[in-house]
Amino acid sequence: MSGSYVDGKVREALAAANGSRAVAQKILISMAAKDPQLLLAMAQPFLQAIAAAAIERVLRRARSTGPSRGAGNGALSREALARVLDRMGRDDDEPAASGGGDKGTTPRAPSPAAGPVKAAPPGASHEKSMLAIAKAFAAKKVR
């Protein structure tokens, strides 16, 4: 279908609407609902994006109802979040602090009486934290 067919129908709609774009749009939509050739000709330039959006919608719906999603919203479980938070700000070679042997406890920050804490170079702890979060999400997707 050529663009001239669509252009002719657009001119028709504009003439019927006395130049009003809003009214012409409504008329053109009404025409396209009755004329499958016009609808296809108008949608042709956007067909790839329409198909991609339809596929994404179905995949998103399938992901949210899938059995492997836990809570269904993509959120980390409490345990996974605790592991990520435990790893934040630590060097990879630094062992995890044991919260008294309990598996579910999170380590506490050192008290001021423990002495000064060595500051990481600007941005280094943030970078390590982001890498830890990324690794946690990557590990979750692999499972």
Side-chain angles (χ1 to χ4, degrees):
M1 187 71 39
S2 69
S4 62
Y5 181 68
V6 174
D7 291 346
K9 291 293 186 177
V10 169
R11 282 190 213 97
E12 253 183 73
L14 282 168
N18 295 325
S20 169
R21 289 182 182 203
V23 175
Q25 183 179 13
K26 290 178 183 178
I27 292 171
L28 192 60
I29 290 170
S30 171
M31 293 169 129
K34 297 172 188 166
D35 183 355
Q37 291 176 334
L38 176 61
L39 179 62
L40 180 60
M42 287 180 7
Q44 190 66 41
F46 308 100
L47 206 49
Q48 185 174 4
I50 292 168
I55 290 169
E56 181 60 31
R57 179 177 37 87
V58 169
L59 289 176
R60 189 177 311 123
R61 196 177 298 146
R63 271 189 246 125
S64 69
T65 60
S68 64
R69 294 301 289 176
N73 61 3
L76 287 174
S77 67
R78 286 182 184 266
E79 295 79 24
L81 182 59
R83 285 193 304 270
V84 170
L85 292 174
D86 180 47
R87 293 183 57 188
M88 288 177 68
R90 275 195 298 118
D91 290 331
D92 288 335
D93 57 341
E94 184 179 327
S98 65
D102 289 343
K103 192 174 186 179
T105 61
T106 55
R108 298 185 185 269
S111 67
V117 177
K118 218 165 81 174
S125 62
H126 176 74
E127 182 179 333
K128 286 182 181 182
S129 298
M130 296 307 293
L131 285 172
I133 292 170
K135 285 179 186 177
F137 277 105
K140 183 178 180 184
K141 287 182 180 179
V142 171
R143 292 181 193 157

